[in-house]
Amino acid sequence: MDLLNQLETILESDPLIDEVGLIHPSQFITLSKECSESSNSSADGAFRPANTKFWNRDHKLGISTEILLPVCKAAKSAFMDAMEQYKTHSDLSVNKHEDKNMVYPSSSCQSFESEVMKHSRALLLLSCDLGTAWNARKLVVSKKQQLPMFTDELHLSALVLSYSHKSEQAWSHRRWVIKMIAGKYSNLQQIIAKESELVEKIAERSKMNYRAWNHRCWLVSYMTREQMLYELKKSRDWAGLHVADNSCFHYRRRLMLGISENKQGDDPSYDVENYQVVKALWLHRRFLSLCLIRHWMTTTDGISCHSTSMANEINIFLDKELCLLDPCSTIQDMEFEDFEAQAIYSTMYFLWLIKQIPEFRKIELQEKLKAGNLKNILHKTCPERSFLWDVLEL
C-alpha cells in the first residue's frame, strides 16, 4: 500500500506525464547516474523517491518490474473497496433538489467517487486489460458529462498505449469518449486530429498494429472533408516510407471512400478532388495487379506459365477483374461527374491490364472486353479521343 500511495502521489504531482514504461531494477542505476549528472534541483517538479521503485523525470514515468505484482494487487483491492462503497452511497445517499426533485450525490459519495477514479487509474497503468476498471470510469464520467473528465480519459488511455500499444481496452475506451463528446462540444475536430496523430506516432513504434489502424479508420466517420483530404495526402508520404505495412493502405482506402461519399453542395473543387481520389484508387489497383502478375511470371519453382495451376490462378484473377467492368463503367447519369470519372479510369485500367497479362491470355481477354463494349464506353466517356479508340485492337 505504501508503494501504491507513492505511485498515486507521482500521478497527482505530475499531471503532464505523457509516457509510462516498465523498467528492470538494474536500469535504475543508469537512470540514477543520469540524474546525478544533471542538476540536483527539483525545480522541474520531478518526483524522485529515495527508493528505486519509481522514476519520474521530464514527464516520463518508470515503474520497476520488481513491484508490479504486489502493487497491482494493492491497487485492485483498493479499487474494489472504493467501488463497493461508491455504489452503496450512490444508491442510498442522495440529496434531493427542493424545486425540481433532481438528485445529486452526497459529499461522501463524491469522496468515494474520487477514490474510484484515483485507484482505477493506478490499476489500469499496471493492468491495462481489466475491463471492470475501465467500466467503472465510464460510469463515473458518464454521470458528470464534463469535458475535462473526458479529456482526462483520453490522457489516461494514451498513457496505457504508450507501453501497451495494442491494448484493445484502451482503444475501445477512446472510441467511447469520442462518441460521448461528438455533438456536444465544439472542439471535436481538434480531438480527431490529435487522435490521428497519436495513431501515427504509435504506428512508428509498433509495426503492423491492426488495432491502432482500425481505430484510425473508425475516426474517418467523424472527419470533415478537409481533414480527410489532408489525411489522404499525409498518409501517402507515410505509406511510401513504410511499404510493408499494409494497414496504411486500408486507411487510405477508407479515406477515399469517405471523400467520395461526402459531397458538399455545388463546390467546384469537389469534382477535381473526386477525380484525384478515383484516379488514386485505380492506380493503386494497377500496382497490386502488377505485383500479382509479376509473381506469376517470375516463379522460380520451374513451373511453366502454361501449367494448369498457374492458368487457373490467372483465370480466377481475370474473371474477378472483369466482374468490375460492368458496374464501374456504367454511367448512370452524365450530370454527375463521379460516374464519368469512375468509368474513365476503370476502362483505362483494363486497357493497361491487356498489356500486362501473358501473351497466351490476351486473345481471350480481348474477346471478353469486346463483348463488354469497351470501345463504346471509351467513346462515350472520352469522345475527344475517338481517333485513338478506333485503332485499338479490341
Side-chain angles (χ1 to χ4, degrees):
M1 291 303 297
D2 288 340
L3 292 171
L4 175 60
N5 290 335
Q6 284 188 38
L7 174 59
E8 292 175 342
T9 301
I10 295 173
L11 295 172
E12 291 291 337
S13 63
D14 187 2
L16 298 180
I17 293 175
D18 58 9
E19 187 174 356
V20 176
L22 305 180
I23 303 176
H24 190 272
S26 63
Q27 292 180 279
F28 277 91
I29 299 175
T30 303
L31 293 174
S32 298
K33 289 181 179 179
E34 292 177 357
C35 289
S36 62
E37 292 173 359
S38 61
S39 174
N40 293 323
S41 172
S42 59
D44 60 353
F47 180 89
R48 299 186 181 91
N51 58 43
T52 56
K53 308 304 180 185
F54 302 102
W55 186 87
N56 176 219
R57 185 179 177 85
D58 300 327
H59 307 307
K60 312 296 180 185
L61 173 61
I63 304 174
S64 173
T65 55
E66 184 181 22
I67 64 168
L68 281 181
L69 183 58
V71 178
C72 186
K73 288 183 177 180
K76 185 175 182 179
S77 177
F79 162 71
M80 296 303 290
D81 290 343
M83 191 64 192
E84 184 177 352
Q85 293 292 333
Y86 170 69
K87 287 183 176 180
T88 301
H89 284 77
S90 63
D91 290 339
L92 302 178
S93 302
V94 294
N95 297 325
K96 291 189 176 181
H97 192 281
E98 295 180 357
D99 297 329
K100 297 182 180 180
N101 197 35
M102 297 179 66
V103 296
Y104 298 91
S106 65
S107 57
S108 61
C109 182
Q110 291 177 339
S111 175
F112 286 115
E113 179 183 276
S114 178
E115 290 293 296
V116 168
M117 299 300 281
K118 180 176 69 174
H119 295 317
S120 63
R121 177 175 59 180
L123 177 57
L124 288 171
L125 290 178
L126 300 168
S127 180
C128 62
D129 290 326
L130 189 60
T132 303
W134 288 112
N135 291 335
R137 298 185 69 85
K138 287 185 176 73
L139 176 64
V140 174
V141 174
S142 61
K143 289 183 177 181
K144 296 291 185 179
Q145 293 290 323
Q146 297 174 358
L147 182 59
M149 295 190 75
F150 287 126
T151 304
D152 288 343
E153 295 307 293
L154 292 175
H155 180 249
L156 173 60
S157 55
L159 286 181
V160 170
L161 291 169
S162 70
Y163 77 91
S164 181
H165 310 308
K166 298 182 179 182
S167 172
E168 182 60 35
Q169 291 284 357
W171 287 117
S172 177
H173 194 68
R174 297 186 77 83
R175 288 191 286 274
W176 176 82
V177 171
I178 292 173
K179 287 179 181 178
M180 298 296 288
I181 293 175
K184 299 178 182 177
Y185 302 98
S186 59
N187 64 337
L188 175 63
Q189 301 311 317
Q190 290 85 348
I191 292 175
I192 296 299
K194 289 182 179 179
E195 282 293 290
S196 183
E197 292 174 2
L198 174 67
V199 173
E200 185 168 325
K201 179 181 177 182
I202 290 177
E204 289 284 354
R205 303 172 60 182
S206 175
K207 307 301 181 185
M208 306 294 183
N209 191 332
Y210 168 79
R211 289 178 175 85
W213 284 102
N214 181 60
H215 179 75
R216 202 176 191 184
C217 289
W218 178 85
L219 293 173
V220 174
S221 60
Y222 290 92
M223 291 181 183
T224 62
R225 181 177 178 81
E226 290 71 23
Q227 283 182 311
M228 286 188 281
L229 289 169
Y230 173 75
E231 288 289 320
L232 185 63
K233 180 180 178 181
K234 186 173 68 171
S235 63
R236 179 180 180 179
D237 297 333
W238 197 94
L241 296 173
H242 305 78
V243 294
D245 197 335
N246 60 1
S247 296
C248 184
F249 290 101
H250 290 291
Y251 176 56
R252 287 177 57 77
R253 180 179 66 180
R254 182 65 187 89
L255 287 168
M256 291 175 183
L257 291 173
I259 293 170
S260 64
E261 294 168 358
N262 187 4
K263 184 170 183 177
Q264 299 177 343
D266 297 324
D267 185 355
S269 65
Y270 169 83
D271 293 328
V272 176
E273 294 164 352
N274 197 62
Y275 261 78
Q276 294 301 319
V277 170
V278 173
K279 181 179 179 180
L281 280 168
W282 284 105
L283 288 177
H284 180 56
R285 193 167 191 88
R286 286 193 190 189
F287 164 74
L288 298 176
S289 298
L290 184 59
C291 289
L292 192 57
I293 293 171
R294 285 181 176 177
H295 166 70
W296 288 327
M297 302 306 297
T298 59
T299 51
T300 58
D301 56 2
I303 300 178
S304 169
C305 63
H306 295 276
S307 66
T308 303
S309 60
M310 182 171 293
N312 288 338
E313 288 186 24
I314 297 177
N315 284 338
I316 294 173
F317 166 72
L318 292 177
D319 287 342
K320 288 183 177 180
E321 294 302 284
L322 285 168
C323 287
L324 288 173
L325 180 59
D326 185 54
C328 292
S329 60
T330 301
I331 304 177
Q332 300 180 24
D333 193 332
M334 287 298 293
E335 294 182 1
F336 293 95
E337 296 188 359
D338 292 3
F339 297 122
E340 183 179 351
Q342 180 80 313
I344 291 173
Y345 289 118
S346 63
T347 50
M348 292 297 183
Y349 167 76
F350 284 101
L351 288 177
W352 170 87
L353 187 61
I354 292 175
K355 304 298 182 181
Q356 306 302 321
I357 63 172
E359 286 291 337
F360 72 97
R361 292 308 313 271
K362 281 187 179 180
I363 297 177
E364 180 181 347
L365 179 59
Q366 288 173 340
E367 289 297 324
K368 290 183 178 180
L369 291 175
K370 186 183 295 183
N373 294 319
L374 188 60
K375 276 192 177 182
N376 292 337
I377 298 172
L378 292 171
H379 280 293
K380 188 174 182 180
T381 56
C382 299
E384 70 277 7
R385 298 183 181 180
S386 295
F387 67 96
L388 290 176
W389 314 142
D390 291 334
V391 298
L392 283 178
E393 297 180 358
L394 290 179

